[in-house]
């Protein structure tokens, strides 16, 4: 065969992936087998605190992705907020329902400091661009709200539908 060749999953106990190109030696990368939990070999369910934090993270990331601003440094802002809110909700467990809105506000503030306003209002087509706000500021069932138009735009995590972004 002329030119470079590529073979995948060479036969052995563990599959190998091989890449070859002009003048380079063939290299093999072993794929790792799936490993069960180090504790007892079973999947463990997560507690309510972790579930709340995972949900908040997912909702805010969905809104960031809808606005196409989910770059690595922005995702790090989400992670920083989740770490801070973990401590916060450990101190005040009754505030677990407020975590998604607080993470959204934290990320919004961090983005404002570094890049500018987010998320921009998709409702108001004219006038100066302005950001949506989270309401209630400290409460359950947080939404993105346009105070200029006086409307709820979307629930946290559902901004894509308001912006016309198809859901995945």
């Amino acid at each position: 065969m002329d030119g470079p060749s590529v073979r995948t999953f060479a036969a052995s106990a563990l599959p190998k992936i091989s890449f070859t190109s002009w003048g380079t030696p063939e290299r093999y990368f072993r794929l790792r087998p799936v490993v069960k939990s180090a504790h007892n070999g079973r999947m463990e369910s997560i507690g309510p605190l972790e579930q709340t934090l995972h949900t908040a993270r997912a909702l805010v990331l969905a809104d960031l992705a809808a606005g196409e601003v989910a770059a690595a440094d922005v995702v790090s802002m989400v992670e920083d907020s989740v770490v801070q809110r973990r401590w916060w909700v450990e101190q005040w467990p009754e505030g677990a329902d407020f975590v998604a809105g607080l993470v959204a506000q934290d990320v919004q503030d961090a983005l404002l400091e570094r890049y500018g306003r987010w998320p921009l209002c998709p409702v108001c087509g004219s006038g100066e661009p302005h950001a949506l706000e989270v309401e209630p500021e400290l409460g359950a069932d947080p939404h993105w709200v346009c105070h200029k138009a006086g409307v709820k735009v979307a629930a946290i995590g559902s901004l894509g539908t308001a912006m016309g972004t198809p859901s995945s």
Side-chain angles (χ1 to χ4, degrees), residues 99-118:
V99 172
L102 292 171
V103 170
Q105 289 174 34
D106 293 346
V107 172
Q108 187 177 38
D109 292 344
L111 283 168
L112 179 61
E113 283 181 23
R114 195 175 286 174
Y115 298 110
R117 294 175 290 203
W118 176 85

Side-chain angles (χ1 to χ4, degrees), residues 115-133:
Y115 298 110
R117 294 175 290 203
W118 176 85
L120 293 178
C121 180
V123 175
C124 300
S126 63
E128 184 158 333
H130 57 279
L132 299 175
E133 296 179 26

Side-chain angles (χ1 to χ4, degrees), residues 54-129:
H54 285 297
T55 300
R57 176 188 293 113
L59 292 172
V60 174
L61 286 174
D63 286 347
L64 289 165
E68 298 180 357
V69 294
D73 62 330
V74 177
V75 172
S76 293
M77 291 176 190
V78 175
E79 294 304 321
D80 292 344
S81 174
V82 168
V83 167
Q84 293 171 3
R85 294 305 173 178
R86 175 179 282 113
W87 177 87
W88 182 84
V89 81
E90 285 171 347
Q91 305 308 306
W92 189 44
E94 295 82 20
D97 290 341
F98 311 157
V99 172
L102 292 171
V103 170
Q105 289 174 34
D106 293 346
V107 172
Q108 187 177 38
D109 292 344
L111 283 168
L112 179 61
E113 283 181 23
R114 195 175 286 174
Y115 298 110
R117 294 175 290 203
W118 176 85
L120 293 178
C121 180
V123 175
C124 300
S126 63
E128 184 158 333

Side-chain angles (χ1 to χ4, degrees), residues 14-15 30-36:
L14 290 176
R30 290 199 179 270
L31 298 177
R32 296 182 185 191
V34 177
V35 179
K36 291 184 180 178

Side-chain angles (χ1 to χ4, degrees), residues 58-64 66 122 142-144 153-165 167:
L59 292 172
V60 174
L61 286 174
D63 286 347
L64 289 165
H143 280 73
W144 292 110
V153 176
I156 300 292
S158 300
L159 196 54
T161 56
M163 299 175 102
T165 306
S167 60

Side-chain angles (χ1 to χ4, degrees), residues 1-7 18-26:
M1 175 191 254
D2 292 327
S5 64
V6 177
R7 285 180 280 148
S18 171
F19 300 94
T20 344
S21 65
W22 297 103
T24 61
E26 187 166 299

